[in-house]
Amino acid sequence: MTVLRESPWYQEILQEGVARGIQQERRGSLERILKLRFSEIPSEISVSIQSLTLEQLEELMATALTVNSLDEFSQNLPN
């Protein structure tokens, strides 16, 4: 088992899993921020959030805290 844990292949899979977990947590946090600020969020925004990278999610979390409306937020979503 130790040999497996030390293998580069195992480490790569582990890092990918951690990155996916962080990305999923950021998606959830962004949606919670939007729901707290604006009540319900349209499904189009929720679907768009699911395809964002970690970097995009982090940028949009700051945006979600400063915009005045969901329309304004949606204008900042990447195409």
Side-chain angles (χ1 to χ4, degrees), residues 16-75:
E16 285 179 22
V18 169
R20 282 191 196 135
I22 292 170
Q23 189 173 18
Q24 188 61 36
E25 184 274 329
R26 293 295 192 282
R27 285 181 186 126
S29 294
L30 180 55
E31 287 192 355
R32 279 191 299 278
I33 290 169
L34 292 171
K35 285 178 183 176
L36 286 170
R37 293 209 58 221
F38 306 111
S39 192
E40 290 299 313
I41 58 173
S43 60
E44 304 85 41
I45 291 177
S46 188
V47 167
S48 295
I49 288 172
Q50 295 305 310
S51 64
L52 299 175
T53 66
L54 182 57
E55 294 79 19
Q56 291 170 321
L57 290 164
E58 289 177 352
E59 287 178 22
L60 284 172
M61 286 178 72
T63 301
L65 292 169
T66 59
V67 294
N68 295 314
S69 68
L70 278 172
D71 287 335
E72 189 177 344
F73 175 82
S74 65
Q75 292 173 3

Side-chain angles (χ1 to χ4, degrees), residues 1-15:
M1 192 66 159
T2 302
V3 173
L4 177 62
R5 287 187 193 137
E6 293 174 358
S7 76
W9 181 73
Y10 177 84
Q11 292 300 317
E12 184 178 330
I13 291 171
L14 184 62
Q15 288 174 350

